[in-house]
Amino acid sequence: MSSLSRELVFLILQFLDEEKFKETVHKLEQESGFYFNMKYFEDEVISGNWDEVERYLGGFTKVDDNRYSMKIFFEIRKQKYLEALDKHDRSKAVEILVKDLKVFASFNEELFKEITQLLTLENFRENEQLSKYGDTKSARAIMLVELKKLIEANPLFRDKLQFPNLKNSRLRTLINQSLNWQHQLCKNPRPNPDIKTLFVDHSCGQPNGARAPSPANNPLLGSLPKPGGFPPLGAHGPFQPAPTAVPPLAGWMSNPPAVTHPSVSGGAIGFGTPTNPAALLKHPRTPTTGNPGMDYPSGDSDHVSKRTRPVGMSEEVNLPVNMLPVTYPQSHNYQQDDFHKTVARTLSQGSTPMSMDFHPVQQTLLLVGTNVGDIALWDVGTKERLVLRNFKVWELGKCSMALQASLVKDPTVSVNRIIWSPDGTLFGVAYSRHIVQIYSYHGGDDIRQLLEIDAHVGGVNDIAFAHPNKQLCIITCGDDKTIKVWEATSGAKQFTFEGHEAPVYSVCPHYKENIQFIFSTALDGKIKAWLYDNLGSRVDYDAPGHWCTTMAYSADGSRLFSCGTSKDGESHLVEWNESEGAVKRTYQGFRKRSMGVVQFDTTRNRFLAAGDEFLIKIWDMDNTGLLTTIDADGGLPASPRIRFNKEGTLLAVSTLENGIKILANADGLRLLRTLENRSFDASRNASETVTKPLINPLTAAAAAAAAGATSSGTAAPAAINAMNGDSRSLVDVKPRIADESLDKSKVWKLMEISESAQCRSIKLADHMRPSKISRLIYTNSGVAILALTASAVHLLWKWPRNDRNSTGKATASVSPQLWQPPSGIFMTNDTADSNPEEAVHCFALSKNDSYVMSASGGKISLFNMMTFKTMTTFMPPPPAATFLAFHPQDNNIIAIGMDDSTIQIYNVRIDEVKSKLRGHSKRITGLAFSNVLNVLVSSGADAQLCVWNTDGWEKQKSRFLQIPSGRPSNILDTRVQFHQDQMHFLVVHETQLAIYETTKLEPVKQWPVRENSAPITHATFSCDSQLIYASFMDATVGIFNASSLRLQCRILPPSYLPQNISSSVHPVVVAAHPSEASQFALGLSDGGVYVLEPLESERKWGNPPPAENGSTSSLSAPPPNGASSSDQPER
């Protein structure tokens, strides 16, 4: 059931309760399973209505769901049994014992025997443990206290004990709003329509000489309703009176106001639920001066802050299982790693930065605009300034005379705003004189002039990109009091919005439910909202501070914030209640008199940041008090400019010395360390000529994918669906430095490692009986390695944090420890009484490393990674699970590949198979989700690839692998893994490696194994998708360049295996470190696990092979079947 359907059930529950349909209310609570009414449950328990108690409970849990549920039912039935004994009703007691309590005998036979023996006692209080049993009433009360604790601890109830905070008669209000909307769409709206039914849409009949209501009476104007709107529904039926609502946005679009809006509009500031106009007039819009921290919450709008996730698996699968209580990190729990306390880079710009923006896809590219009109593009990873352009009018003759005269009089120009387009292929610059300039970006230092628009008379104060009508547009505002919308490719003007009475300071385009709109703020403190039409603003409203104000949404688009500074230097950072058009909360902690206009930014749907008082101040979005401050080691101006990158890992801040400091949290530091390695590589290999970074073709595809995703309102995070079943989000990393600047006189040579002294390797110690490593994965944090052996036992190695390993991350330089909890137990899969050595093993790791879902031929098990305890098991064979993958956007959905060739889409929350996908003829061997294309790619032992749409789970395409002729397939396993761009995926088969383009399902690169050579056993992308690590049956490891699919390094067995090892030992599985691109691990057929890294002096696995046909910028066609490649390892 969708979230909206679920919310509708709550609205119906509220309605039934208000109408006193008590039995129906509780029946719906029980049947839907959405809300457990603890008060009703208490009343039934105290009354001893045991049948109703169990019937009501049955809507939420069953006896054997988990240990909490079992204890709840046991306590109830035990109490019922004791009451029958207390009444000396032996026959009733025997009936309860046989029908209700015997089910617990299989779990605790001794306890059942003891309960049975109570029948032999004249008074059960003779039993020592029951000696304090009082009367029935007190016993029920004592039991009820225990039951409430069990229910609150039971994970099945954790999101069902709190009813949403709704305004009274919310369903009636929505119906009133719908009727108002329908009435506004009538061709001939009558002044006082008569509603006779809700069963069909309302429509006014043709009036006999009647006129439609005049504009003065039109309720869209925002004043109190005049005749012409609907009377409350209470006048027509059993509904209670409800306030007449202002029509929503659809009404604005259908019947635009014909007169100027009053200064206080009845329309809400946002485009959510409309509100009562009278309430708008009654409540002040900004906090009173006496209490600047005052909030204005409402039942409708507080859902963002009050609806917390259930305790347990944070951002993970909410499983209906017996989980140990795990504290969910609430808003007041923070780790120092969350904050950008470390100054990772200091960049010297040369003039004062006025505006900055990080690239939306490549997380380390930073645009900067300065006070002298310069624009710069920095790669903060390598500290390299890729582009520096001074201000210049491209075609002065085409500019207005006003601009030409202005430049002659005073040639100084400043950048007011610089910003990337949503997909990062364009960027726009708004200048303090008339014009905006639009550049196209083609990777590296390649920026090209696209458009120059003489946009406004005076300064252009802000610029933004938006996608109205699925077309990329540019929005500008300026000193001439207007907002203008331009087509992004031609520069044609589409709309001019007039209505502000002061220079327009900022614009904030957004959309909700397919309605596109723009907020604008002016220097007189007015906020207006516009649709993409010529019908005037929909909102006229005062911003706190009444001067320079900017607005921004949280990353998920659900929360609206603004930050403004008054002429007196008083700053206001607030969150808006869009439904009510009021300030929801005001954040405290600003200097009483700010020395400049305060700038702000949001990140990760969690934090707000503002530059004030020579500091960066951080707030939690859900708390008004200042959370922390960052001084960035000093040197900041009074009101520094700040900007987060999209992932929230880096924070750019302007400095007093015409520079920029890049602050990083823990994830940001890991990203920059990866890029430092790249920079080191480039400096070693490059000639004295300046290197030119190029975008990898797959990365370019990622940018294109991000464009499509952004235009439809969905983000395009880079993620790899790992071939061992994990799904992890990865930071974007800078593409490899191109080989153009290499010394052409040097002949490229394949790097071959044949001795242990040529690389770093370490074997992970264990004391278990040797058993083949079937699956291997790094934890998402990179501090541990998890293996699943052929004996169905999991092994976990953790690296210590010490002087030799300050990060605590996995490394080949420090030995890890085979970790077990204090209980000494292992995580062991159910094997269904079969030989685990012959089973197909699979697992998937949760994003926060807390849980692992795993199978070894038997039931699927869920383990707690901290305690190793089995949380639950489900889906007993046949068929047996052969591959597991979490849905990237819904952690309650998992794709389960089966040995009967089907793929089951399973909702773990409701314990239901949503879809069963059929398309393969043999068992499933690989699954990978693309969260950009919204598809699932599957591979099977039939050597077939299938692409499934994740919206309806229909099969889009399928094709069989191109198996080289004359090469019989023995292993049959085919694995798939998405590239970081989410558009291409790697296919691994014993006979070949291949890169496929997903939408066409065609190979763009192939590397076939030569005849009589050792087959491939496994392969995986490096964490940045620049390399492919492949293992072979002869224990050789090949490291391929992912762009060209050509071998650049070969690691021979003697370099990492001991001399006395059997020649039949070989790697079965390869795993790549989640943040160290040059580190990987091998799981061997003899149970050994090895971690390999290049020497510290090398820091990489060879150099990329030279470009084919002089270029590696595109993926060429695959070689014909059976073709050999000169760079294949000879075995």
Side-chain angles (χ1 to χ4, degrees), residues 531-661:
L531 298 181
Y532 291 87
D533 54 30
N534 293 308
L535 303 179
S537 77
R538 271 39 178 210
V539 167
D540 189 340
Y541 188 69
D542 290 327
H546 302 278
W547 196 41
C548 298
T549 298
T550 54
M551 307 184 81
Y553 277 88
S554 57
D556 60 7
S558 66
R559 303 174 68 174
L560 176 63
F561 303 90
S562 73
C563 184
T565 303
S566 72
K567 293 180 180 179
D568 296 327
E570 293 185 358
S571 294
H572 305 268
L573 177 61
V574 302
E575 180 179 4
W576 291 95
N577 179 336
E578 292 184 85
S579 299
E580 299 293 336
V583 171
K584 179 177 179 178
R585 58 169 57 88
T586 299
Y587 299 91
Q588 301 170 339
F590 284 106
R591 177 188 175 95
K592 187 142 187 161
R593 291 287 185 270
S594 298
M595 295 180 288
V597 176
V598 169
Q599 308 291 316
F600 90 115
D601 201 4
T602 70
T603 182
R604 293 160 53 184
N605 300 314
R606 186 177 182 187
F607 298 120
L608 298 166
D612 179 51
E613 208 171 352
F614 307 96
L615 299 168
I616 303 161
K617 298 181 177 181
I618 307 290
W619 290 264
D620 182 301
M621 288 181 176
D622 295 326
N623 292 291
T624 58
L626 186 62
L627 181 59
T628 189
T629 60
I630 301 170
D631 65 2
D633 297 340
L636 302 185
S639 300
R641 292 343 195 205
I642 62 171
R643 192 68 170 173
F644 288 102
N645 69 348
K646 187 175 180 179
E647 294 292 333
T649 57
L650 302 176
L651 173 60
V653 56
S654 62
T655 69
L656 279 172
E657 301 299 325
N658 294 335
I660 302 155
K661 289 185 178 182

Side-chain angles (χ1 to χ4, degrees), residues 69 159 197 213 217 247 249 378 404 408 516 601 609 662 674 679 690 793 824 859 879 965 1076:
S69 299
D159 57 347
T197 180
N217 291 332
L249 199 60
W378 289 87
Q404 294 183 43
V408 169
Q516 302 272 351
D601 201 4
I662 305 299
T674 301
S679 179
V690 178
V793 176
K859 296 178 183 178
S965 58
E1076 298 294 337

Side-chain angles (χ1 to χ4, degrees), residues 677-872:
N677 292 343
R678 299 283 174 76
S679 179
F680 177 82
D681 296 343
S683 65
R684 296 184 65 220
N685 295 324
S687 64
E688 294 182 358
T689 59
V690 178
T691 61
K692 179 181 179 182
L694 293 179
I695 281 191
N696 178 292
L698 299 179
T699 309
T710 308
S711 65
S712 62
T714 57
I720 285 183
N721 293 314
M723 301 171 67
N724 281 310
D726 67 324
S727 176
R728 54 168 62 105
S729 294
L730 297 176
V731 295
D732 292 292
V733 294
K734 178 178 175 289
R736 287 187 172 274
I737 300 299
D739 293 323
E740 292 179 339
S741 57
L742 294 177
D743 186 351
K744 302 299 182 182
S745 64
K746 295 180 181 179
V747 177
W748 177 83
K749 184 179 180 181
L750 172 70
M751 183 178 190
E752 186 167 287
I753 296 175
S754 57
E755 300 176 0
S756 59
Q758 293 177 290
C759 69
R760 290 181 290 162
S761 67
I762 187 171
K763 182 182 181 183
L764 309 191
D766 73 86
H767 309 292
M768 303 287 293
R769 181 176 63 84
S771 182
K772 182 180 75 174
I773 303 297
S774 297
R775 293 288 182 267
L776 192 70
I777 191 175
Y778 283 85
T779 59
N780 294 284
S781 60
V783 301
I785 286 179
L786 178 67
L788 173 58
T789 69
S791 58
V793 176
H794 299 77
L795 303 176
L796 181 67
W797 288 272
K798 289 187 177 181
W799 268 260
R801 186 190 295 268
N802 52 35
D803 293 340
R804 294 183 59 202
N805 187 24
S806 59
T807 65
K809 293 295 182 69
T811 174
S813 302
V814 176
S815 296
Q817 299 169 338
L818 182 63
W819 191 85
Q820 281 181 275
S823 63
I825 63 174
F826 282 96
M827 294 183 287
T828 305
N829 280 338
D830 172 67
T831 57
D833 300 324
S834 61
N835 182 359
E837 297 284 344
E838 299 174 357
V840 176
H841 304 266
C842 55
F843 64 16
L845 185 64
S846 66
K847 295 177 184 176
N848 64 357
D849 298 333
S850 296
Y851 300 89
V852 62
M853 195 172 289
S854 185
S856 295
K859 296 178 183 178
I860 300 173
S861 300
L862 180 76
F863 297 100
N864 184 310
M865 287 276 284
M866 295 298 295
T867 64
F868 284 10
K869 289 186 177 180
T870 305
M871 312 307 292
T872 189

Side-chain angles (χ1 to χ4, degrees), residues 428-625:
V429 190
Y431 291 99
S432 60
R433 302 290 185 87
H434 292 246
I435 65 171
V436 296
Q437 292 178 342
I438 309 299
Y439 291 83
S440 62
Y441 178 60
H442 302 269
D445 60 356
D446 188 0
I447 67 171
R448 303 173 191 174
Q449 298 175 1
L450 181 65
L451 290 174
E452 184 174 61
I453 304 172
D454 193 343
H456 295 270
V457 178
V460 184
N461 296 321
D462 202 2
I463 182 172
F465 289 91
H467 279 92
N469 305 316
K470 298 183 180 179
Q471 181 183 39
L472 184 64
C473 290
I474 303 157
I475 303 163
T476 62
C477 64
D479 288 344
D480 57 3
K481 308 175 186 177
T482 65
I483 301 104
K484 297 181 181 180
V485 180
W486 316 82
E487 202 275 322
T489 54
S490 66
K493 184 166 63 177
Q494 296 184 322
F495 300 102
T496 298
F497 300 141
E498 297 179 333
H500 277 293
E501 298 178 0
V504 186
Y505 182 72
S506 71
V507 288
C508 177
H510 196 55
Y511 71 94
K512 284 200 172 180
E513 298 179 1
N514 297 321
I515 299 175
Q516 302 272 351
F517 55 90
I518 305 167
F519 281 123
S520 62
T521 68
L523 291 183
D524 58 359
K526 294 293 184 183
I527 296 175
K528 294 181 183 288
W530 318 79
L531 298 181
Y532 291 87
D533 54 30
N534 293 308
L535 303 179
S537 77
R538 271 39 178 210
V539 167
D540 189 340
Y541 188 69
D542 290 327
H546 302 278
W547 196 41
C548 298
T549 298
T550 54
M551 307 184 81
Y553 277 88
S554 57
D556 60 7
S558 66
R559 303 174 68 174
L560 176 63
F561 303 90
S562 73
C563 184
T565 303
S566 72
K567 293 180 180 179
D568 296 327
E570 293 185 358
S571 294
H572 305 268
L573 177 61
V574 302
E575 180 179 4
W576 291 95
N577 179 336
E578 292 184 85
S579 299
E580 299 293 336
V583 171
K584 179 177 179 178
R585 58 169 57 88
T586 299
Y587 299 91
Q588 301 170 339
F590 284 106
R591 177 188 175 95
K592 187 142 187 161
R593 291 287 185 270
S594 298
M595 295 180 288
V597 176
V598 169
Q599 308 291 316
F600 90 115
D601 201 4
T602 70
T603 182
R604 293 160 53 184
N605 300 314
R606 186 177 182 187
F607 298 120
L608 298 166
D612 179 51
E613 208 171 352
F614 307 96
L615 299 168
I616 303 161
K617 298 181 177 181
I618 307 290
W619 290 264
D620 182 301
M621 288 181 176
D622 295 326
N623 292 291
T624 58

